[in-house]
Amino acid sequence: MNKLEMTSRAQAVLRLNDAGEFTKPSALQYPHQWNWDSALIAFGLAHFDLPRAYTEIRSLLRAQWRDGMVPHIIYSAGSTDYFPPPEFWQTANLPHGSPLPTSGLTQPPILATVIRMMGNVARLGSPATQPTYHEFLREVFPHLLTWHRWLHSARDADGTGLPCLLHPWESGMDNSPLWANALDRITPRDLPPFKRYDAIHVAPDERPLAPDYERFVYLTDRARQLHWDARALLEQMPFLVQDVLFCSILHRADEDLAALAVELGEATHEIESWLQRTRKVFNERFWVDERGLYLDYDLRARAPIPVNANATFAPLYAGLASPAHATRLVKEHFDNPAEYAPGVNSKFRLPSVAKNEPGYSARRYWCGPVWIQMNWIIAQGLRRYWFATEADSLIHDALALMEQSGFREYYDPRDGSGCGSQDFSWSAALALDMIATRSEDSSGD
Ligand code: DGY
């Protein structure tokens, strides 16, 4: 497929899933608005319809909670075949909640980064788009600032300023083996009645297992009993982790937020203080020298989570890895065929979990499949250091997967067959960016 054909197919997916003011991640499986999906989708839209990209972000920020949190799901009226439904969260009428029906959780804060990148797209476009971008930026900046402030304070469980997650859904990597030990410690008693819909449109062996889902529901139930009160949640939620991917995305977004503040002539000292604090504590908290890996941290067990998932490469994207750590990550893990490199049991980069992890499973959601947005994030990280060839291999494989199997939610790393939902919006959105960026340095198809 040539670039023009792939571009028009990717745009068609975004149009297909367009619900007017937001874009569904996929028409049947995810009929509402998701936080980091919407941010990445907006970036794809910016490549061909900048005003629609602004609308996507405005509709996400309209749901911001009064305390600053930007929620992970914003419900649209009329869709009934998704669990959990809006009333399940019991978030309506909370004094610190949202004016709209939303979940009670948040998701990886990639939005400030996307908005900064959209500025580059606007600058490359017609001169008419530039004043509009500046106005848009002025409008959204206060929302970004309050969200980041909330992450660094309401979610600061240990005084480090590294936000913690209360539920696997907040990580975006719902059923990753990263959470297995923490979830195993939980016995889901007195579960409220619920019915899953997520394995109707997607093969059950590509979705989370029943024990994981029961714990997702149990944790939601615990949080709603605590009325989503920030302090009570930190004190009482049985699941409390600091995640390498989430903290890396936030740090990179803080860097981008500081740049946006400068562009607007706003003060940067508060953002600088977050940046400095994270630089001071990040490696001490997450780097495990014996394994040459960044590992998540379980605050309830007071111990690193000993699972090798591809989130371990995210500190490159945030510029938080030292040159020595970056080299070890690439040489000992990224290039290792037993873990992530093609050769043993895989053809495509980058499995979401190392292939030699006991919890690895090639087709099951976050237990092993390749995800397009992870390739996109980690490629940026590799380029930030000196690993351009490795970065190119991630973009090459992402495009090859989408060409072979369409814009799927995730892919089997062994043969590249598609898994999860079809016509998945952020895969299409990031394909548009990958094609545009690649065409700058190559003239052919
Ligand atoms: C789902 O429904 O699987 C989502 O990942 C929850 O956010």
Side-chain angles (χ1 to χ4, degrees), residues 105 155 164-168 170 219 233-234 237 239-241:
L105 303 169
R155 287 305 184 82
C164 60
L165 309 183
L166 311 170
H167 192 299
E170 294 203 305
L219 287 169
L233 292 167
L234 290 190
M237 283 299 279
F239 181 94
L240 200 71
V241 304

Side-chain angles (χ1 to χ4, degrees), residues 121-306:
V121 177
R123 273 183 281 276
L124 288 174
S126 76
T129 60
Q130 290 172 31
T132 331
Y133 174 73
H134 198 79
E135 274 165 35
F136 168 74
L137 189 55
R138 183 146 300 289
E139 175 190 331
V140 296
F141 179 80
H143 295 276
L144 297 171
L145 187 66
T146 48
W147 184 21
H148 286 214
R149 186 180 292 142
W150 177 87
L151 286 163
H152 284 291
S153 54
R155 287 305 184 82
D156 180 10
D158 62 352
T160 58
L162 296 172
C164 60
L165 309 183
L166 311 170
H167 192 299
W169 282 343
E170 294 203 305
S171 70
M173 304 180 286
D174 304 7
N175 68 335
S176 170
L178 285 167
W179 321 129
N181 287 349
L183 294 180
D184 272 356
R185 290 200 306 270
I186 295 170
T187 309
R189 280 187 231 286
D190 303 324
L191 276 185
F194 73 96
K195 177 171 162 15
R196 283 178 73 168
Y197 292 98
D198 63 299
I200 295 173
H201 306 295
V202 168
D205 63 354
E206 295 170 11
R207 290 294 303 173
L209 292 163
D212 288 327
Y213 230 86
E214 283 164 11
R215 283 158 179 82
F216 299 159
V217 169
Y218 174 78
L219 287 169
T220 307
D221 186 43
R222 283 292 294 267
R224 68 188 191 178
Q225 284 166 21
L226 299 169
H227 309 292
W228 303 101
D229 175 75
R231 184 181 287 269
L233 292 167
L234 290 190
E235 282 168 7
Q236 296 186 47
M237 283 299 279
F239 181 94
L240 200 71
V241 304
Q242 286 163 332
D243 170 46
V244 170
L245 177 66
F246 194 101
C247 291
S248 300
I249 286 177
L250 178 58
H251 185 72
R252 166 68 189 270
D254 281 341
E255 288 182 330
D256 293 315
L257 191 62
L260 296 177
V262 170
E263 193 167 337
L264 289 171
E266 296 284 341
T268 57
H269 56 270
E270 185 181 11
I271 308 169
E272 288 300 336
S273 73
W274 301 330
L275 286 166
Q276 274 170 28
R277 202 158 60 149
T278 303
R279 281 189 205 110
K280 219 161 123 199
V281 297
F282 188 92
N283 280 281
E284 205 178 309
R285 166 84 342 151
F286 295 123
W287 177 255
V288 177
D289 203 52
E290 309 84 85
R291 298 194 54 193
L293 288 169
Y294 286 98
L295 296 180
D296 278 12
Y297 193 81
D298 185 331
L299 284 154
R300 289 289 177 240
R302 293 175 191 271
I305 294 173

